[in-house]
C-alpha cells in the first residue's frame, strides 16, 4: 500500500457560475472524509485506520489533508458528492449584487 495520500490529486475547472473541484481519494469511505469551511478556507481532510502487516503489528492512521482558498465562493451553497473514490465539490461563485436602479423624478 503506498502512502502517497498526503497529496491527493485534485482538478479544479471553471464551469461559468461555479467551480468544480474533483479529488481522487481511492480507498476512503464517505465517512472518512471531512469538509470544513473556516473564513475563506476550505479544508478537505481524510483519515482512516489501516491494518498494517508490518513487524510491529500496529494499526496506523492514513491521513491526508488539503486546504483551498475559497475567496469569491458562496460557502453556504457548496455541494459535495463522493462516488467511486472521487470527491466532487460544486463551489458556486458569489454573485455581485448590482445596485438597484431608481428613477429620479424631475420637480
Amino acid at each position: 500500500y503506498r502512502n502517497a495520500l498526503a497529496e491527493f490529486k485534485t482538478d479544479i475547472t471553471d464551469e461559468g457560475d461555479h467551480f468544480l473541484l474533483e479529488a481522487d481519494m481511492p480507498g476512503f469511505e464517505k465517512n472518512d472524509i471531512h469538509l470544513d469551511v473556516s473564513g475563506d478556507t476550505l479544508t478537505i481532510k481524510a483519515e482512516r485506520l489501516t491494518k498494517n502487516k508490518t513487524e510491529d503489528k500496529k494499526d496506523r492512521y492514513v491521513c491526508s489533508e488539503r486546504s483551498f482558498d475559497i475567496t469569491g465562493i458562496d460557502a453556504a451553497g457548496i455541494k459535495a458528492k463522493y462516488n467511486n473514490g472521487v470527491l466532487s465539490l460544486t463551489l458556486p461563485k458569489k454573485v455581485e449584487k448590482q445596485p438597484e436602479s431608481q428613477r429620479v423624478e424631475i420637480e
Side-chain angles (χ1 to χ4, degrees):
Y1 185 77
R2 50 172 235 248
N3 199 4
L5 288 166
E7 275 297 306
F8 44 86
K9 181 175 165 291
T10 55
D11 289 315
I12 300 174
T13 50
D14 188 337
E15 300 286 330
D17 64 344
H18 68 279
F19 291 101
L20 177 65
L21 185 155
E22 292 181 311
D24 289 334
M25 305 178 78
F28 286 99
E29 298 293 326
K30 187 167 80 168
N31 297 346
D32 298 333
I33 302 168
H34 304 283
L35 304 173
D36 294 300
V37 174
S38 177
D40 285 330
T41 303
L42 167 69
T43 302
I44 301 173
K45 185 174 185 177
E47 60 182 0
R48 68 185 169 91
L49 202 56
T50 60
K51 301 288 183 192
N52 264 352
K53 296 191 169 48
T54 54
E55 292 165 21
D56 58 8
K57 304 266 192 289
K58 288 185 183 161
D59 295 339
R60 297 180 190 269
Y61 272 104
V62 173
C63 185
S64 183
E65 187 172 318
R66 273 196 75 183
S67 295
F68 300 90
D69 181 358
I70 56 166
T71 305
I73 297 298
D74 177 9
I78 295 174
K79 291 188 173 56
K81 283 190 292 196
Y82 186 67
N83 197 10
N84 295 331
V86 178
L87 176 69
S88 300
L89 296 180
T90 301
L91 308 171
K93 296 177 184 177
K94 281 183 183 165
V95 178
E96 293 295 320
K97 288 207 165 107
Q98 298 296 327
E100 290 181 26
S101 65
Q102 129 185 13
R103 177 167 283 175
V104 176
E105 295 297 328
I106 302 170
E107 292 180 15

